[in-house]
Amino acid sequence: MAVAHHRTAASPASTVSAPRGTAPVALGLALAALATVVWSGSFVTSRALGDSVPPVQHAFWRWVVALAAVAPFGARQAWRQRALLRRHFGFVLLASLLGVATYNTLVNQAGVTTPAANMGMIMAASPVLMALFERAGGVRLGARRVAGLLTACAGVLLLVGGGASFAAGDLWMIAAACCFGSYSALLRHRPPALEGTGFLFTTFLIGTVLLLPAQGVSLAVQGGFAPTPATVLPLLYVGVASSALAFFAWNKAIALIGPTRAGIVYYLQPVCVALLSWALLAEPTGWAQAGCMALILGGVMLGAGSRR
């Protein structure tokens, strides 16, 4: 799909090329940071529910909750756009498969055996994929953005190499990182007339439908889970905050500043996960980790600026 499709100024997706004004860039960076912080909490949640809620059921009920949260804002808009959605059904289906049905199921599967800190660090690889996809699409990244990308990546690699123990579920997280990077790159080519909440509601709906067969198999093989506050409250968090709020913020950020610049902000995730683990789980954070986090933050600040 040609980038030229995004020139129309009538929709949020039309600003997918890097805007010239500072206000849209600042808003895009803030939205990307908001999504990153909220998603960091979802990794802790996936780990916490790993022993009590089967991964597929976790994903299925997450999107049921997200659908209920988005429906008052997006269902009517999706109905008005039904002809447009049918015309671009292949794109919408692929976005639903990558960003909704597959990505979060892989994250939940990883949470069964992988610590939350590992999950956040592995997911930090996805900005590299976003940049590679964008560069393959003919977008010039610029020396400063590449330098920020490499600096933040170096911080992540040092953080990973500083004693993190890897589990079998890390392979699931690598697959999830590839899936999310592909989804974010795909958003750059979203047809401009597909507006935010209508598109979001449709992808949530299709993703939930795609999960139905796996949900049936999981119920038959693994049985259900007990709806207690320890299971329901985390599902409400991932459904409302990590799905409805964070996906809207991320999709809007992609439209405003593009996947590479948003991806650099996404490097904040291992920092956020480490801080949340320290605050909520009392996991220790030493000077080495603090130095790596400072390197990541420096790379984010460097790469989030202009292309030059």
Side-chain angles (χ1 to χ4, degrees), residues 109-242:
Q109 183 64 50
V112 176
T113 56
T114 302
N118 280 34
M119 295 168 71
M121 287 186 286
I122 293 171
M123 272 304 296
S126 57
V128 176
L129 296 171
M130 297 176 206
L132 291 176
F133 280 126
E134 193 167 19
R135 185 66 187 91
V139 177
R140 180 180 174 273
L141 302 181
R144 176 172 175 172
R145 194 165 302 173
V146 171
L149 189 72
L150 293 176
T151 301
C153 186
V156 171
L157 291 176
L158 288 174
L159 193 61
V160 171
S165 58
F166 284 86
D170 292 335
L171 293 176
W172 292 108
M173 278 308 302
I174 292 172
C178 293
C179 192
F180 183 74
S182 302
Y183 169 76
S184 297
L186 180 69
L187 288 180
R188 185 169 183 90
H189 305 290
R190 182 173 62 177
L194 287 179
E195 299 179 18
T197 54
F199 173 75
L200 207 64
F201 174 82
T202 305
T203 56
F204 287 2
L205 177 60
I206 294 175
T208 304
V209 172
L210 291 173
L211 282 169
L212 273 173
Q215 168 77 354
V217 171
S218 178
L219 287 172
V221 175
Q222 299 172 297
F225 62 90
T228 65
T231 56
V232 172
L233 291 178
L235 288 174
L236 288 175
Y237 171 81
V238 296
V240 177
S242 294

Side-chain angles (χ1 to χ4, degrees), residues 286-300:
W287 287 108
Q289 289 85 352
C292 293
M293 292 177 190
L295 196 60
I296 294 170
L297 289 171
V300 169

Side-chain angles (χ1 to χ4, degrees), residues 24-72:
V25 172
L27 177 60
L29 293 173
L31 290 172
L34 172 64
T36 298
V37 171
V38 173
W39 277 330
S40 298
S42 71
F43 289 139
V44 177
T45 301
S46 292
R47 180 61 176 161
L49 294 179
D51 296 329
S52 56
V53 181
V56 170
Q57 296 180 40
H58 182 173
F60 178 79
W61 288 111
R62 167 182 181 150
W63 295 113
V64 169
V65 173
L67 266 176
V70 172

